[in-house]
Amino acid sequence: MDDNSESNEIHHEVVLNVNGDASKNCDESGFKDSVPLLKKLVAEVVGTYLMIFAGCAAVLVNLNNDHVVTLPGIAVTWGFTVMVLIYSLGHISGAHFNPAVTIAHASTKTFPLKQVPAYIIAQVLGSILASGTLKLIFNGKDGHFIGTLPTGSNLQAFVIEFICTFFLMFVITAVATDDRAIGELTGIAVGCTILIDILFAGPITGASMNPARSLGPAVVDHEYRGLWIYLISPILGALIGTWTYNFIRHKNKPMCDELTKIVPTKIVPFFRSSRM
């Protein structure tokens, strides 16, 4: 073929239809909120209950059976339980199960501030119910305190809980709120982070990272030694963790924008003439 020959090349232009109505479903925090609050609260109660029951049951079984579960086994139980609960309930309530996580999300306007008190009450209620259930099942000689107590100094426990929760919330913010992250791996990433934290912090502080996790057993067993550490340090760690990630992230879109779906509507072929 010579230089004057003409050929037709077929190209396809994808026309995208962005759902402009999505912003109408966003509240003042920029969070797309379509699930009724009552359903979200029930999900938080159930999720927190199952998390505390499974994790603390592993601790009790380990104590009552010559440490057969072992520290890695306890860490895997907590991590896998959180992972499956995120995939089960994340699309309903966000799968917080932790007042520190709820407060941290609200501080960056990725969660409605007005729902924070209700979420915290639901999480603490779930923890108390789970702790009470375990107290009824493992009573008498099988009874042990399943809460969290520092094995060293209060300062050491405070710093470790801060770092653990910072690590956890940093990962949560990265995988759950950044539209560039692989959202399908959220549960795995968060569950593995909890597993890692428990492996190094469990023998020292119990690796709570969650005020509700420590408060529930404390209320049931009336054991409040060092409780202030587990109420304050995780909240501070979570706040600094989410603020740090939001500072270094490339683009901080409102959650409403991240949840807006882009739907391909049609493919338009067109021809372009070109000369060789």
Side-chain angles (χ1 to χ4, degrees):
M1 298 178 65
D2 58 24
D3 293 340
N4 294 326
S5 64
E6 185 176 287
S7 63
N8 290 327
E9 297 180 356
I10 298 179
H11 298 266
H12 294 83
E13 177 185 10
V14 178
V15 180
L16 302 179
N17 177 27
V18 179
N19 182 6
D21 294 334
S23 61
K24 296 180 181 178
N25 296 325
C26 300
D27 61 15
E28 66 277 2
S29 68
F31 186 84
K32 185 178 180 181
D33 195 5
S34 59
V35 180
L37 179 59
L38 178 60
K39 292 185 177 182
K40 294 198 289 187
L41 295 179
V42 172
E44 284 295 300
V45 172
V46 172
T48 308
Y49 177 93
L50 294 175
M51 179 185 71
I52 299 298
F53 182 87
C56 292
V59 173
L60 281 172
V61 171
N62 189 60
L63 292 172
N64 293 332
N65 295 275
D66 298 324
H67 302 282
V68 66
V69 181
T70 72
L71 176 63
I74 293 172
V76 168
T77 301
W78 281 101
F80 278 22
T81 300
V82 171
M83 180 185 72
V84 298
L85 288 173
I86 287 174
Y87 289 124
S88 301
L89 298 172
H91 55 288
I92 298 175
S93 68
H96 294 187
F97 315 139
N98 185 339
V101 172
T102 300
I103 293 171
H105 278 318
S107 73
T108 55
K109 298 182 179 180
T110 55
F111 183 79
L113 182 62
K114 62 185 179 183
Q115 294 183 11
V116 170
Y119 258 58
I120 293 176
I121 292 172
Q123 292 154 359
V124 172
L125 177 60
S127 179
I128 292 174
L129 291 175
S131 302
T133 303
L134 290 170
K135 182 120 180 128
L136 291 174
I137 297 173
F138 298 91
N139 53 22
K141 65 181 180 64
D142 292 332
H144 292 278
F145 179 56
I146 57 173
T148 48
L149 291 171
T151 58
S153 68
N154 287 344
L155 178 60
Q156 180 192 51
F158 191 95
V159 173
I160 289 178
E161 282 295 312
F162 177 91
I163 294 173
C164 286
T165 317
F166 175 96
F167 183 19
L168 174 63
M169 196 63 211
F170 186 88
V171 172
I172 290 174
T173 306
V175 298
T177 69
D178 196 326
D179 58 347
R180 296 170 301 148
I182 304 174
E184 292 80 3
L185 299 181
T186 298
I188 297 175
V190 175
C192 287
T193 303
I194 291 174
L195 190 157
I196 293 168
D197 279 344
I198 292 175
L199 284 176
F200 74 82
I204 303 173
T205 67
S208 174
M209 301 169 279
N210 184 339
R213 183 266 180 268
S214 296
L215 185 58
V219 170
V220 170
D221 283 300
H222 307 290
E223 176 60 81
Y224 301 105
R225 287 179 298 160
L227 182 61
W228 67 272
I229 297 171
Y230 301 98
L231 298 181
I232 298 174
S233 184
I235 293 176
L236 293 178
L239 287 171
I240 302 302
T242 195
W243 292 345
T244 300
Y245 185 83
N246 276 294
F247 175 75
I248 66 175
R249 72 192 296 172
H250 177 64
K251 185 192 301 182
N252 189 8
K253 289 185 179 181
M255 283 297 292
C256 177
D257 293 341
E258 295 178 4
L259 293 175
T260 299
K261 293 182 178 179
I262 301 178
V263 183
T265 57
K266 59 182 178 178
I267 298 178
V268 181
F270 69 95
F271 295 87
R272 185 182 67 184
S273 298
S274 62
R275 296 185 177 274
M276 301 285 296

